[in-house]
Amino acid sequence: MVNFTVDEIRQFMENKKNIRNISVIAHVDHGKSTLTDSLVSKAGIISSAKAGEARFTDTRKDEQLRCITIKSTAVTLCYELSDKDFEQIEQDKDPDKHLLVNLIDSPGHLDFSSEVTAALRITDGALVVVDCISGVCVQTETVLRQSIAERIKPILFLNKMDRALLELQLDQENLYKTFQKIVENVNSIISTYICDDSKMGDISLCPTIGNVGFGSGKYGWAFTLKEFADIYSQKFKIEASKLMKKLWGDNYYSAVDKKWSNQKSENNLRGFCMFVLDPIYKLAKSIMNFNQNEYTNLIEKLGIEIKEKNVLNSGGKELFKLVMNTWLPAGDTLLSMITIHLPSPVRAQKYRTELLYEGPRDDDAFRAMHDCDSTGPLMMYISKMIPSGSRFTAMGRVFSGRAATGQKVRIMGPNYLPGRKEDLNIKPIQRTEIMMGRINHSVEDIPCGNICGLVGIDQFLIKSGTITTFENAHNLKVMKFSVSPVVRVAVEAKNLSDLPKLVEGLKQLAKSDPMVQCVMEESGEHVICGAGELHLEICLKDLEDVYAGIPIKKSNPLVSYRETVTEESSVNCLAKSTNKLNRLFMKASPLPEGLAEEIDSKAVYPSQDTKLRSKYLSEHYQLDLSYTKNIWCFGPDGNGPNLLINSTKGVQYMNEIKDSVVAGFQWVSKEGPLVEESLRGVRINLTDAVIHTDSMHRSGGQIIPAARRCMYASILSAEPRLYEPVYLAQIECSRSVIGAVYNILNQRRGIMLEELQNGNPQIVEIKAYIPVNESFGFSGEIQEKTSGKGFVQCVFDHWQVMDLNINEPSSKSMQIVNNIRRRKGLKEKIPDINQFLDKL
């Protein structure tokens, strides 16, 4: 039975201090969706019997079939808090004891990391789920890093405890050490990525605080130390908060002496094992061994009330699930953790606004967001589009003001600049909706602090953007994804008459996924770029079945490369304009190591204050101040990891030709001379110029082609190379098949990094680098050669320079260059430098 109506939810949305916006994040198959069912069940949307099996937030058919989450799903849940939980909330709260939880269940597969980014942007807290058998994995670290970068406060849940009890049958001390290791690993990741001046306060995780939970999402039971401290506090006559500290760490209790000690001896046991694990272990053992007398006595002693007495005769897993679910319901534990330890929008926006808002700190929009003011101007961020029939619902978070049906708003895309009209539309909102997983419900308006859907703005935004009613508002910061679209597939319609449907389908596909890119090459082929094989597979299936609805032909997966230089240009390259009246002199050189990554991560960016940027580059990369003050632009697209620097001295008319040279640089950085791929880590120095005095003779038509030829010549004279993308592969396999895994890695140019031992002594975790070009079919081959005992996860990690000389015809690099040039319809040979150089 549902515990609330849509009207009640809308009413509770006004109580901003009693709202929690949370994402559920984890590695793939660690049990996010099954655990989320417990919260959905607690809200009365599904029955408790179905919780753990229904996977309510997996709304797509392929999600249910594959048993993995592919798209983030939002659901609004309402609860009535117990007096005990309500009293323990330390932050400001509204007197109404109802709590509204806007929950987003996100994917765990590395290929869908962009969905996690979109979920984190519009939430304030994160429930981090870790499989207590597998421990902290690649994606666990990735999502934690993303959440800390977005100033999202985490709580931790150690899932699949049932496997440790029933399958692996770990003893109590080993299970405690497994838990302790996971908590330490997660805290280690948090301390690595959190800034010293973080405004969030202490976000470290510790069971004694109550922000770490344990249990089983599938069986629907969970606990924190708070639950057991409440049970034992009456017996020991100690406050529950003090007892919690005794139930973790090196605290041992002697049943003989009735004393606590911090030293292990023969007649004492660790507090966590004796008081927390022991009752659970005894219950599990007696029920699984069908020892009815023993488990009946235990159920009575623990005060567990089983309504249907006849089920007590059955024993086995079903009874264990029922008993544990009745004694320690997961929904209650998770709700308690979320309520007490995660911030309300009022609290979170005080430290998140300065990170999200790009405008000044004293305008109306910033103040309204900072105070979570529902009477201020509307400020809303749209993080993703959700398909809804032939249209899309824009999912986002209202940071200030109210989003109302029929309200006229400014729809600002990611390229909008204040004072300009590009990427700006002023249109009314057709409908505002409360997100409820599979179904959305229309309401008149949504106040700030809530997550909602907007209908009618999808035609003005491609993927994400800012919605506001404040005329002078700046954009909210564009999301930064942890993965890159480095794998590409060319598609075409099987029937030429279906081409218009394909083009329309590609537009809709680009809208439906936060990261996928659909581009049309100069050769006319349509290319889809994604994060990996699975990501592309899902995109192509959606395109064929949903968006285009036509049969399509697809190429083999292609890899995006980047072009770079490894030395400074051997000559000062000269190019003349077509009329021979202007001369440009340039040199190319590589950017200092690490600077390209800093530009990607927006630590260095075009709109940064010039003096601050110059000082930073001078101190960290030892670049000459005279150069760093004269950075004309970044490229490609005005923000990429390449720099154009004006290092001329005393040359006239430089400002007049600046736009033309910049246009030439953007062209070159988008299409390099080797294979017309984007440049990376290249610095072009404009060393000298001779410019005609008459403005008619130094127009863009003269300067742009000359600048392009000069840049091409300077790159070709600076030892050009290709960058190839590299995955970090995490391979979990049985110890018996480790030799087969190493053989496959060697055949695919893989580089072994480390071999780790997990909690299970038979399972080994291998981390290795593998080039994306060699990764196609890697997962399938691992499973085939290991007879299903190996499991692979790949995530984009970095770009690496291909070793072999680009000028050796037989080299791997040269083969790749030739293949790409042939595919793009370019001449077989790399252009000769003399095609671009002019003589004095």
Side-chain angles (χ1 to χ4, degrees), residues 511-523:
K511 215 180 260 293
S512 72
D513 191 286
M515 196 187 62
V516 74
Q517 293 176 2
C518 300
V519 293
M520 186 175 174
E521 301 271 290
E522 280 190 14
S523 59

Side-chain angles (χ1 to χ4, degrees), residues 287-392:
I287 291 173
M288 296 311 291
N289 290 339
F290 298 91
N291 192 336
Q292 191 172 350
N293 290 338
E294 190 178 339
Y295 67 67
T296 309
N297 290 337
L298 276 168
I299 288 168
E300 283 178 18
K301 277 185 188 176
L302 293 167
I304 305 168
E305 294 180 13
I306 305 292
K307 291 176 184 174
E308 298 174 22
K309 298 294 180 186
N310 59 327
V311 299
L312 290 174
N313 303 325
S314 59
K317 283 187 179 180
E318 286 303 314
L319 179 61
F320 180 61
K321 177 181 177 179
L322 176 67
V323 170
M324 292 301 290
N325 195 349
T326 310
W327 181 32
L328 300 167
D332 292 2
T333 300
L334 292 170
L335 181 61
S336 174
M337 288 170 71
I338 289 164
T339 307
I340 297 165
H341 297 287
L342 293 183
S344 67
V346 176
R347 186 172 182 178
Q349 286 180 210
K350 290 195 184 323
Y351 55 76
R352 288 194 72 204
T353 302
E354 63 184 58
L355 183 81
L356 298 177
Y357 187 60
E358 291 186 336
R361 300 286 180 263
D362 56 356
D363 72 358
D364 292 349
F366 180 88
R367 285 197 294 268
M369 282 179 67
H370 183 272
D371 299 336
C372 195
D373 183 1
S374 54
T375 60
L378 169 66
M379 286 298 292
M380 179 176 181
Y381 187 78
I382 301 298
S383 72
K384 65 170 285 191
M385 297 285 178
I386 299 169
S388 177
S390 60
R391 296 289 296 274
F392 287 84

